[in-house]
Amino acid sequence: MPRDAAADSDKDHPLPVRVPLATEPLGIFGTLRAGRRNVLELIPEIATHAPIISNTRGKRWHMIMDPDALRRVLRDRVEDYPKSDVTKLMLAPAIGQSMFIAEGQEWLWQRRTAAPVFSHRNVANLAPVMTAAADRAAARFAAAEGRAADAFDEMVTATFEVISDVTLSGGESFDRDAVHKAIDAYIGQTAKISLLDIIGAPTWVPRPSRMLSGPGMRDMKKMADATIDRRRSDPAAKAMPDLLDLLMAGEDPKSGRKMTTEEIRDNLLTFIVAGHETTALTLSWALYLCAFDPAVQTRARAEAQAVLGSRSARAEDVPNLPYIRQVIDETLRLYPPAAFLSRTAQKTDELCGREVRRGDTVILPIYALHRHKKLWSHPDRFDPDRFAPGHQTDRFAFLPFGDGPRICIGANFAIQEAVIILSTLLARFRFDLIPGKSPKPVMILTLRPEGGVWLSVKSA
């Protein structure tokens, strides 16, 4: 269908909430305002039509939406495109030199050491924690029947329960509330773009906003170090090891190297920061979309009830809930938690026929990629059937977890958790939109629903 005809047909088709993309140049201060308000507003609307957009005046950058170019950056020449300096400046205060930030050999040995932690067997063994969190979330929604509930707040609670239980099964004086507050403060302030980032100031120039959350992050790290030291001094055997046990036992199969307390802590905090926020967002947006499209919700509920009956979902149910998985994939397409990534070119290259110089910033606007007019039919619509069995989506047109060697190590964990919790809730409840309370998609570090996801809750 020609693009204009497709656009016209969308006029009479309700669309879920979207980010208004830029339609004119923003300038330095306009860029700063947009970046601090909502990073996705930096993306020009033309990015949903073009394969690449470049800026060669001042701070050079290239925004790529072409799957072949993305394949080159993320897989074929991944060593030439490390995470950008801005990304490292934002994340290092929280997660140090964990595998999420580390590069080259330092990243490689950590990845090899941690890979068995997220094996299919270990992820499946952690499913009872997810089932228990789904049960507790269902109990909270049952208490809210007949009135409004903030699904975002509920899903943050559920996924934080999961990540804290699977990383630190014993609790061990680990103050979960303090950790949660420190992470929230960090994301709310430290992760915002600085004017110094925009003008390309050297990384050694202090960013004042990133100094404010220092005490909370330092306290969180001290707490984690103490927990690791206690576990080392009293390695009590457990029927089921948690992620901390597995990290402490892990070693690089090539060198035999094991992680130090600092390295374990940085990776543990990476799992905690990334492991609850991203899944909570996916579940929140999925519940919003199911309320937005009652027909999808009805179909998903029928599948969940047929498989689960009156019980909560377990790991062995996940393969039998394909439509729930389609809903989750379509949610990740429309509202990818990591919706805006950036890399720094280390060598001269060519992408989509454009010269890329050493030091250029290469932006991967996942939000625009997932709504690109040439890659998706009616890209702003909510349509889980686009992920039905046999779909022919280019692998590098759908990147909610990245791809290549640095694909998210916890992707299978996140999908299993999302399917277990979403199917359990949809089997028991009907969720409806509340007029005038639509969430607003706003990205700082992750794509959050500003104002929450307020839904009315009724027994199914």
Side-chain angles (χ1 to χ4, degrees), residues 10-92:
D10 276 343
K11 287 179 181 177
D12 299 321
H13 195 284
L15 300 174
V17 291
R18 295 173 287 173
V19 176
L21 303 183
T23 55
E24 57 186 42
L26 297 172
I28 288 180
F29 290 104
T31 298
L32 176 63
R33 285 192 296 272
R36 292 185 69 80
R37 181 176 63 242
N38 186 355
V39 170
L40 297 185
E41 291 181 21
L42 299 174
I43 300 175
E45 198 277 334
I46 190 67
T48 61
H49 304 267
I52 187 170
I53 303 168
S54 298
N55 175 69
T56 55
R57 292 178 294 179
K59 178 65 177 172
R60 291 172 54 93
W61 55 261
H62 311 274
M63 193 174 283
I64 56 173
M65 291 68 61
D66 176 71
D68 289 336
L70 289 161
R71 186 176 286 107
R72 184 173 180 83
V73 169
L74 293 173
R75 190 188 70 186
D76 300 342
R77 293 187 59 174
V78 63
E79 68 281 356
D80 294 339
Y81 291 97
K83 286 186 166 66
S84 71
D85 291 340
V86 171
T87 299
K88 293 174 184 176
L89 279 171
M90 288 181 179
L91 297 177

Coordinates of all heavy atoms in Angstrom, one line a residue, residues 10-92:
D10 N -5.1 5.1 8.5 CA -4.9 5.1 10.0 C -5.7 6.2 10.6 O -5.9 6.2 11.8 CB -3.4 5.4 10.3 CG -2.6 4.1 10.4 OD1 -3.2 3.0 10.5 OD2 -1.4 4.1 10.3
K11 N -6.2 7.2 9.8 CA -7.0 8.3 10.4 C -8.2 7.8 11.1 O -8.6 8.4 12.1 CB -7.4 9.3 9.3 CG -6.2 10.1 8.8 CD -6.6 11.0 7.7 CE -5.4 11.9 7.2 NZ -5.9 12.8 6.1
D12 N -8.8 6.7 10.6 CA -10.0 6.2 11.2 C -9.8 5.0 12.1 O -10.7 4.3 12.5 CB -11.0 5.8 10.1 CG -11.4 7.0 9.3 OD1 -11.6 8.1 9.9 OD2 -11.6 6.8 8.1
H13 N -8.5 4.7 12.3 CA -8.1 3.6 13.1 C -7.4 4.1 14.4 O -6.4 4.7 14.4 CB -7.1 2.7 12.4 CG -6.9 1.3 12.9 ND1 -6.1 1.1 14.1 CD2 -7.4 0.1 12.5 CE1 -6.2 -0.2 14.3 NE2 -6.9 -0.8 13.4
P14 N -8.0 3.9 15.6 CA -7.4 4.4 16.8 C -6.0 3.9 17.0 O -5.7 2.7 16.8 CB -8.4 4.0 17.9 CG -9.2 2.9 17.3 CD -9.2 3.1 15.8
L15 N -5.1 4.7 17.5 CA -3.7 4.4 17.7 C -3.4 4.6 19.1 O -3.8 5.5 19.8 CB -2.8 5.2 16.8 CG -3.0 5.2 15.3 CD1 -2.1 6.2 14.6 CD2 -2.7 3.7 14.8
P16 N -2.5 3.7 19.7 CA -2.1 3.9 21.1 C -1.2 5.1 21.2 O -0.7 5.6 20.1 CB -1.4 2.6 21.4 CG -1.0 2.0 20.1 CD -2.0 2.5 19.1
V17 N -0.9 5.5 22.4 CA -0.1 6.8 22.6 C 1.3 6.7 21.9 O 1.9 5.6 21.9 CB 0.0 7.1 24.1 CG1 -1.3 7.5 24.7 CG2 0.7 5.9 24.8
R18 N 1.7 7.8 21.4 CA 3.0 7.9 20.7 C 3.8 9.1 21.2 O 3.2 10.0 21.8 CB 2.7 8.1 19.2 CG 2.1 6.9 18.5 CD 1.7 7.3 17.0 NE 0.6 8.2 17.0 CZ 0.2 8.7 15.8 NH1 0.8 8.5 14.7 NH2 -0.9 9.6 15.8
V19 N 5.1 9.1 20.8 CA 5.9 10.3 21.1 C 5.9 11.2 19.9 O 6.0 10.7 18.8 CB 7.4 9.8 21.3 CG1 8.3 11.0 21.5 CG2 7.5 8.9 22.5
P20 N 5.7 12.5 20.1 CA 5.7 13.4 19.0 C 7.2 13.7 18.6 O 8.0 14.2 19.3 CB 5.1 14.7 19.5 CG 5.4 14.6 21.0 CD 5.3 13.2 21.4
L21 N 7.6 13.2 17.4 CA 8.9 13.3 16.9 C 9.2 14.7 16.3 O 8.2 15.4 15.9 CB 9.2 12.2 15.9 CG 9.0 10.8 16.4 CD1 9.5 9.8 15.3 CD2 9.8 10.5 17.7
A22 N 10.4 15.1 16.3 CA 10.8 16.5 15.9 C 10.5 16.7 14.4 O 10.8 15.8 13.6 CB 12.3 16.7 16.2
T23 N 9.9 17.8 14.1 CA 9.6 18.1 12.7 C 10.4 19.3 12.2 O 10.3 19.7 11.0 CB 8.1 18.4 12.5 OG1 7.8 19.5 13.4 CG2 7.3 17.2 12.7
E24 N 11.3 19.9 13.0 CA 12.1 21.0 12.6 C 13.4 21.0 13.5 O 13.4 20.4 14.6 CB 11.4 22.4 12.8 CG 10.9 22.6 14.2 CD 10.1 23.9 14.2 OE1 9.3 24.2 13.3 OE2 10.3 24.7 15.2
P25 N 14.5 21.6 13.0 CA 15.8 21.6 13.8 C 15.6 22.2 15.1 O 14.9 23.2 15.3 CB 16.7 22.4 12.9 CG 16.1 22.3 11.5 CD 14.7 22.2 11.7
L26 N 16.2 21.6 16.1 CA 16.0 22.0 17.5 C 17.1 23.0 18.0 O 16.8 23.8 18.9 CB 16.1 20.8 18.4 CG 14.9 19.8 18.2 CD1 15.2 18.5 19.1 CD2 13.6 20.4 18.6
G27 N 18.3 23.0 17.4 CA 19.4 23.9 17.9 C 19.9 23.3 19.2 O 19.4 22.4 19.8
I28 N 21.0 23.9 19.7 CA 21.7 23.4 20.9 C 20.8 23.4 22.1 O 20.6 22.4 22.8 CB 23.0 24.1 21.2 CG1 24.0 23.7 20.1 CG2 23.5 23.8 22.6 CD1 25.4 24.4 20.3
F29 N 20.2 24.6 22.4 CA 19.4 24.7 23.6 C 18.0 24.0 23.5 O 17.5 23.4 24.5 CB 19.2 26.1 24.0 CG 20.5 26.8 24.5 CD1 21.2 27.6 23.7 CD2 21.0 26.4 25.7 CE1 22.4 28.1 24.1 CE2 22.2 27.0 26.2 CZ 22.9 27.8 25.4
G30 N 17.5 23.9 22.3 CA 16.3 23.1 22.1 C 16.5 21.7 22.2 O 15.7 20.9 22.8
T31 N 17.7 21.2 21.8 CA 18.1 19.8 22.0 C 18.3 19.5 23.4 O 17.8 18.5 23.9 CB 19.5 19.6 21.2 OG1 19.3 19.8 19.8 CG2 20.0 18.2 21.5
L32 N 18.9 20.4 24.2 CA 19.1 20.2 25.6 C 17.7 20.1 26.3 O 17.5 19.2 27.1 CB 19.9 21.4 26.2 CG 20.0 21.3 27.8 CD1 20.8 20.1 28.2 CD2 20.7 22.6 28.3
R33 N 16.8 21.0 26.0 CA 15.5 21.0 26.6 C 14.7 19.7 26.3 O 14.1 19.0 27.2 CB 14.6 22.2 26.2 CG 15.0 23.5 26.9 CD 14.0 24.6 26.6 NE 13.9 24.9 25.2 CZ 14.6 25.9 24.6 NH1 15.6 26.5 25.3 NH2 14.5 26.1 23.3
A34 N 14.8 19.3 25.0 CA 14.1 18.1 24.6 C 14.7 16.9 25.3 O 14.0 16.0 25.7 CB 14.1 17.9 23.1
G35 N 16.1 16.9 25.3 CA 16.8 15.7 25.9 C 16.5 15.5 27.3 O 16.4 14.4 27.8
R36 N 16.3 16.6 28.1 CA 16.1 16.5 29.5 C 14.6 16.2 29.8 O 14.2 15.6 30.8 CB 16.5 17.8 30.2 CG 18.0 17.9 30.2 CD 18.4 19.1 31.1 NE 18.2 18.9 32.5 CZ 19.0 18.2 33.3 NH1 20.1 17.6 32.8 NH2 18.7 18.1 34.6
R37 N 13.7 16.6 28.8 CA 12.3 16.3 28.9 C 11.9 14.9 28.5 O 11.2 14.2 29.1 CB 11.5 17.4 28.1 CG 10.0 17.3 28.2 CD 9.4 18.4 27.4 NE 9.7 18.4 26.0 CZ 10.4 19.4 25.3 NH1 10.8 20.4 26.0 NH2 10.6 19.3 24.0
N38 N 12.5 14.5 27.3 CA 12.1 13.2 26.7 C 13.1 13.0 25.5 O 13.0 13.6 24.5 CB 10.7 13.3 26.1 CG 10.3 11.9 25.6 OD1 11.0 10.9 25.6 ND2 9.0 11.8 25.2
V39 N 14.1 12.1 25.8 CA 15.1 11.9 24.8 C 14.6 11.5 23.4 O 15.1 11.9 22.4 CB 16.0 10.7 25.3 CG1 17.0 10.2 24.2 CG2 16.8 11.1 26.5
L40 N 13.4 10.9 23.3 CA 12.9 10.5 22.0 C 12.4 11.7 21.2 O 12.3 11.6 20.0 CB 11.7 9.5 22.2 CG 12.1 8.2 22.9 CD1 10.9 7.2 22.9 CD2 13.3 7.5 22.2
E41 N 12.2 12.8 21.8 CA 11.8 14.0 21.1 C 13.0 14.6 20.3 O 12.8 15.4 19.4 CB 11.3 15.1 22.0 CG 9.9 14.7 22.6 CD 9.4 15.8 23.5 OE1 9.8 17.0 23.4 OE2 8.5 15.5 24.4
L42 N 14.2 14.0 20.5 CA 15.4 14.4 19.7 C 15.3 13.7 18.3 O 16.0 14.1 17.4 CB 16.7 14.0 20.4 CG 16.9 14.6 21.8 CD1 18.2 14.0 22.4 CD2 17.1 16.1 21.6
I43 N 14.5 12.7 18.2 CA 14.5 11.9 16.9 C 13.6 12.7 15.9 O 12.5 13.0 16.2 CB 13.9 10.5 17.1 CG1 14.7 9.7 18.1 CG2 13.8 9.8 15.8 CD1 14.1 8.4 18.5
P44 N 14.2 13.0 14.7 CA 13.4 13.7 13.7 C 12.3 12.7 13.1 O 12.6 11.5 13.0 CB 14.4 14.1 12.7 CG 15.6 13.3 12.9 CD 15.6 12.9 14.3
E45 N 11.2 13.2 12.8 CA 10.1 12.4 12.2 C 10.6 11.7 10.9 O 10.2 10.5 10.7 CB 8.9 13.3 11.9 CG 7.6 12.5 11.7 CD 7.4 11.9 10.3 OE1 8.0 12.5 9.4 OE2 6.7 10.9 10.1
I46 N 11.5 12.3 10.2 CA 12.0 11.7 8.9 C 12.7 10.4 9.2 O 12.9 9.6 8.3 CB 12.9 12.7 8.2 CG1 13.3 12.2 6.8 CG2 14.2 12.9 9.0 CD1 12.1 12.2 5.9
A47 N 13.1 10.2 10.5 CA 13.8 8.9 10.8 C 12.9 7.7 10.7 O 13.4 6.6 10.6 CB 14.3 9.0 12.3
T48 N 11.6 7.9 10.6 CA 10.7 6.8 10.4 C 10.5 6.5 8.9 O 9.7 5.7 8.5 CB 9.3 7.0 11.0 OG1 8.7 8.2 10.5 CG2 9.5 7.2 12.5
H49 N 11.2 7.2 8.0 CA 11.2 7.0 6.6 C 12.5 6.7 6.0 O 12.6 6.0 5.0 CB 10.6 8.3 5.9 CG 9.3 8.7 6.4 ND1 8.1 8.3 5.8 CD2 8.9 9.5 7.4 CE1 7.0 8.8 6.5 NE2 7.5 9.6 7.4
A50 N 13.6 7.4 6.5 CA 14.9 7.3 5.9 C 15.8 6.2 6.5 O 15.6 5.8 7.6 CB 15.6 8.7 6.1
P51 N 16.8 5.7 5.7 CA 17.7 4.7 6.3 C 18.7 5.3 7.2 O 19.2 4.6 8.1 CB 18.3 4.0 5.0 CG 18.2 5.1 4.0 CD 17.0 5.9 4.3
I52 N 19.1 6.5 7.0 CA 20.2 7.2 7.8 C 20.0 8.7 7.7 O 19.5 9.2 6.7 CB 21.6 6.8 7.2 CG1 22.7 7.3 8.1 CG2 21.8 7.3 5.8 CD1 24.1 6.8 7.8
I53 N 20.3 9.3 8.8 CA 20.3 10.8 8.9 C 21.7 11.2 9.5 O 22.1 10.6 10.5 CB 19.2 11.3 9.8 CG1 17.8 10.9 9.3 CG2 19.2 12.9 9.9 CD1 16.7 11.1 10.3
S54 N 22.3 12.2 8.9 CA 23.6 12.5 9.4 C 23.7 14.0 9.7 O 23.0 14.9 9.1 CB 24.7 12.2 8.4 OG 24.8 10.8 8.1
N55 N 24.6 14.4 10.7 CA 24.9 15.8 11.0 C 26.4 15.9 10.9 O 27.1 15.2 11.7 CB 24.4 16.2 12.3 CG 24.9 17.6 12.7 OD1 24.4 18.6 12.1 ND2 25.8 17.7 13.7
T56 N 26.9 16.7 10.0 CA 28.4 16.8 9.9 C 28.9 18.1 10.2 O 30.1 18.5 10.0 CB 28.8 16.5 8.4 OG1 28.1 17.3 7.5 CG2 28.4 15.0 8.0
R57 N 28.1 19.0 10.9 CA 28.5 20.3 11.4 C 28.6 20.2 12.9 O 27.7 19.8 13.5 CB 27.6 21.4 10.9 CG 27.6 21.6 9.4 CD 26.6 22.7 9.0 NE 25.2 22.3 9.3 CZ 24.1 23.0 9.0 NH1 24.3 24.2 8.5 NH2 22.9 22.5 9.2
G58 N 29.7 20.7 13.4 CA 29.9 20.6 14.8 C 30.1 19.2 15.3 O 30.9 18.5 14.7
K59 N 29.4 18.8 16.3 CA 29.5 17.4 16.8 C 28.9 16.5 15.8 O 27.7 16.5 15.6 CB 28.8 17.3 18.2 CG 28.9 15.9 18.8 CD 30.2 15.4 19.1 CE 30.2 14.0 19.8 NZ 31.5 13.5 20.0
R60 N 29.7 15.6 15.1 CA 29.2 14.8 14.1 C 28.5 13.6 14.6 O 28.9 12.9 15.6 CB 30.4 14.3 13.2 CG 31.1 15.3 12.4 CD 32.4 14.8 11.7 NE 32.1 13.6 11.0 CZ 31.8 13.5 9.7 NH1 31.8 14.7 9.0 NH2 31.6 12.4 9.0
W61 N 27.3 13.3 14.0 CA 26.6 12.1 14.4 C 25.8 11.5 13.2 O 25.6 12.2 12.2 CB 25.6 12.3 15.5 CG 24.6 13.5 15.3 CD1 24.7 14.7 15.8 CD2 23.4 13.4 14.6 NE1 23.7 15.5 15.5 CE2 22.8 14.7 14.7 CE3 22.7 12.4 13.9 CZ2 21.6 15.0 14.1 CZ3 21.5 12.8 13.3 CH2 20.9 14.0 13.4
H62 N 25.5 10.2 13.3 CA 24.7 9.5 12.3 C 23.6 8.7 13.0 O 23.9 8.0 13.9 CB 25.6 8.6 11.4 CG 26.8 9.3 10.9 ND1 26.9 10.0 9.7 CD2 28.1 9.3 11.5 CE1 28.1 10.4 9.5 NE2 28.8 10.1 10.6
M63 N 22.4 8.8 12.5 CA 21.3 8.1 13.1 C 20.9 7.0 12.1 O 20.6 7.4 10.9 CB 20.1 9.1 13.3 CG 19.0 8.5 14.2 SD 17.8 9.8 14.6 CE 18.6 10.7 15.9
I64 N 21.0 5.8 12.4 CA 20.8 4.7 11.4 C 19.5 3.9 11.8 O 19.3 3.5 12.9 CB 22.0 3.8 11.3 CG1 22.4 3.2 12.6 CG2 23.2 4.6 10.7 CD1 23.5 2.2 12.5
M65 N 18.7 3.7 10.7 CA 17.5 2.9 10.8 C 17.5 1.7 9.8 O 16.5 1.1 9.6 CB 16.3 3.8 10.6 CG 16.0 4.8 11.7 SD 17.2 6.1 11.8 CE 17.1 7.0 10.2
D66 N 18.6 1.5 9.1 CA 18.7 0.5 8.1 C 19.2 -0.8 8.7 O 20.2 -0.9 9.4 CB 19.7 0.9 7.0 CG 19.9 -0.1 6.0 OD1 19.0 -0.4 5.2 OD2 21.0 -0.7 5.9
P67 N 18.4 -1.9 8.6 CA 18.8 -3.2 9.2 C 20.2 -3.7 8.8 O 20.9 -4.2 9.7 CB 17.7 -4.2 8.7 CG 16.5 -3.3 8.5 CD 17.1 -2.0 7.9
D68 N 20.6 -3.5 7.6 CA 22.0 -3.9 7.2 C 23.1 -3.1 7.9 O 24.1 -3.7 8.3 CB 22.2 -3.9 5.7 CG 21.3 -4.9 4.9 OD1 21.0 -6.0 5.5 OD2 21.0 -4.7 3.7
A69 N 22.8 -1.8 8.0 CA 23.8 -1.0 8.7 C 23.8 -1.3 10.2 O 24.9 -1.4 10.9 CB 23.5 0.5 8.5
L70 N 22.7 -1.6 10.8 CA 22.6 -2.0 12.2 C 23.3 -3.3 12.4 O 23.9 -3.5 13.4 CB 21.1 -2.1 12.6 CG 20.4 -0.7 12.8 CD1 18.9 -0.9 12.7 CD2 20.9 0.0 14.0
R71 N 23.1 -4.2 11.5 CA 23.8 -5.5 11.5 C 25.3 -5.3 11.6 O 26.1 -6.0 12.3 CB 23.4 -6.4 10.3 CG 23.9 -7.8 10.4 CD 23.4 -8.6 9.2 NE 22.0 -9.0 9.4 CZ 21.0 -8.4 8.7 NH1 21.2 -7.5 7.8 NH2 19.8 -8.8 8.9
R72 N 25.8 -4.4 10.8 CA 27.2 -4.1 10.7 C 27.7 -3.5 12.1 O 28.8 -3.9 12.6 CB 27.5 -3.1 9.6 CG 29.0 -2.8 9.4 CD 29.1 -1.9 8.1 NE 30.5 -1.6 7.8 CZ 31.4 -2.3 7.2 NH1 31.0 -3.5 6.8 NH2 32.6 -1.9 6.9
V73 N 27.0 -2.6 12.6 CA 27.4 -2.0 13.9 C 27.3 -2.9 15.1 O 28.2 -3.0 15.9 CB 26.5 -0.7 14.1 CG1 26.7 -0.2 15.6 CG2 26.8 0.4 13.1
L74 N 26.2 -3.7 15.1 CA 26.0 -4.5 16.3 C 26.6 -5.9 16.2 O 26.8 -6.6 17.3 CB 24.5 -4.7 16.5 CG 23.7 -3.4 17.0 CD1 22.2 -3.7 17.0 CD2 24.2 -2.9 18.3
R75 N 26.9 -6.4 15.0 CA 27.4 -7.8 14.9 C 28.7 -7.8 14.2 O 29.7 -8.3 14.7 CB 26.4 -8.7 14.2 CG 26.7 -10.1 14.3 CD 25.8 -11.0 13.4 NE 26.0 -10.7 12.0 CZ 25.2 -11.2 11.0 NH1 24.2 -12.0 11.3 NH2 25.5 -11.0 9.7
D76 N 28.7 -7.4 12.9 CA 29.9 -7.6 12.0 C 31.1 -6.9 12.5 O 32.2 -7.4 12.4 CB 29.5 -7.3 10.6 CG 28.4 -8.2 10.1 OD1 28.1 -9.2 10.7 OD2 27.8 -7.8 9.0
R77 N 30.9 -5.6 12.9 CA 32.1 -4.8 13.4 C 31.9 -4.2 14.8 O 32.1 -3.1 15.0 CB 32.4 -3.7 12.3 CG 32.9 -4.3 11.0 CD 33.3 -3.2 10.0 NE 34.4 -2.4 10.5 CZ 35.0 -1.5 9.8 NH1 34.7 -1.3 8.5 NH2 36.0 -0.7 10.3
V78 N 31.4 -5.1 15.6 CA 31.0 -4.6 16.9 C 32.1 -4.0 17.7 O 32.0 -3.1 18.5 CB 30.3 -5.8 17.8 CG1 31.3 -6.9 18.0 CG2 29.7 -5.3 19.1
E79 N 33.4 -4.5 17.5 CA 34.5 -4.0 18.2 C 34.8 -2.5 17.8 O 35.5 -1.8 18.5 CB 35.7 -4.9 18.0 CG 36.3 -4.9 16.6 CD 35.5 -5.8 15.6 OE1 34.6 -6.5 16.0 OE2 35.9 -5.8 14.4
D80 N 34.4 -2.1 16.6 CA 34.7 -0.8 16.1 C 33.6 0.2 16.6 O 33.7 1.4 16.3 CB 34.7 -0.8 14.6 CG 35.9 -1.5 14.0 OD1 36.9 -1.8 14.8 OD2 35.8 -2.0 12.9
Y81 N 32.5 -0.3 17.2 CA 31.4 0.6 17.7 C 31.1 0.3 19.1 O 30.0 -0.2 19.4 CB 30.2 0.4 16.8 CG 30.4 0.9 15.4 CD1 30.7 0.0 14.3 CD2 30.2 2.2 15.0 CE1 30.9 0.4 13.0 CE2 30.4 2.7 13.7 CZ 30.7 1.8 12.7 OH 30.9 2.2 11.4
P82 N 32.0 0.7 20.1 CA 31.7 0.5 21.5 C 30.6 1.5 21.9 O 30.3 2.5 21.2 CB 33.0 0.8 22.2 CG 33.7 1.7 21.2 CD 33.3 1.3 19.8
K83 N 30.1 1.2 23.1 CA 29.1 2.1 23.7 C 29.7 3.5 23.8 O 30.9 3.7 24.0 CB 28.6 1.7 25.1 CG 27.7 0.5 25.0 CD 27.2 0.1 26.4 CE 26.0 -0.9 26.3 NZ 26.3 -2.2 25.7
S84 N 28.8 4.5 23.5 CA 29.3 5.9 23.5 C 29.8 6.4 24.8 O 29.4 5.9 25.9 CB 28.2 6.9 23.0 OG 27.2 7.0 23.9
D85 N 30.6 7.5 24.8 CA 31.1 8.1 26.1 C 30.0 8.6 26.9 O 30.0 8.5 28.1 CB 32.1 9.2 25.8 CG 33.4 8.7 25.2 OD1 33.7 7.5 25.3 OD2 34.1 9.5 24.5
V86 N 28.9 9.1 26.3 CA 27.8 9.6 27.0 C 27.1 8.5 27.8 O 26.7 8.7 29.0 CB 26.8 10.4 26.1 CG1 25.5 10.7 26.8 CG2 27.4 11.6 25.5
T87 N 26.9 7.4 27.1 CA 26.3 6.2 27.8 C 27.1 5.8 29.0 O 26.6 5.5 30.1 CB 26.2 5.0 26.8 OG1 25.4 5.4 25.7 CG2 25.6 3.8 27.4
K88 N 28.4 5.7 28.8 CA 29.3 5.3 29.9 C 29.2 6.3 31.1 O 29.2 6.0 32.3 CB 30.7 5.1 29.4 CG 30.8 3.9 28.5 CD 32.2 3.8 27.9 CE 32.3 2.7 26.8 NZ 33.6 2.7 26.2
L89 N 29.2 7.6 30.7 CA 29.1 8.7 31.8 C 27.8 8.5 32.6 O 27.8 8.7 33.8 CB 29.2 10.1 31.1 CG 30.5 10.6 30.8 CD1 30.4 11.9 29.9 CD2 31.4 10.9 32.0
M90 N 26.7 8.2 31.9 CA 25.5 8.0 32.6 C 25.4 6.8 33.5 O 24.9 6.8 34.6 CB 24.3 7.9 31.6 CG 24.0 9.2 30.8 SD 22.6 8.9 29.7 CE 22.4 10.6 29.0
L91 N 26.0 5.7 33.0 CA 25.8 4.4 33.7 C 26.9 4.1 34.7 O 26.6 3.3 35.7 CB 25.6 3.3 32.7 CG 24.4 3.5 31.7 CD1 24.4 2.3 30.7 CD2 23.1 3.4 32.5
A92 N 28.1 4.5 34.5 CA 29.2 4.1 35.3 C 29.0 4.4 36.8 O 29.4 3.6 37.7 CB 30.5 4.7 34.8

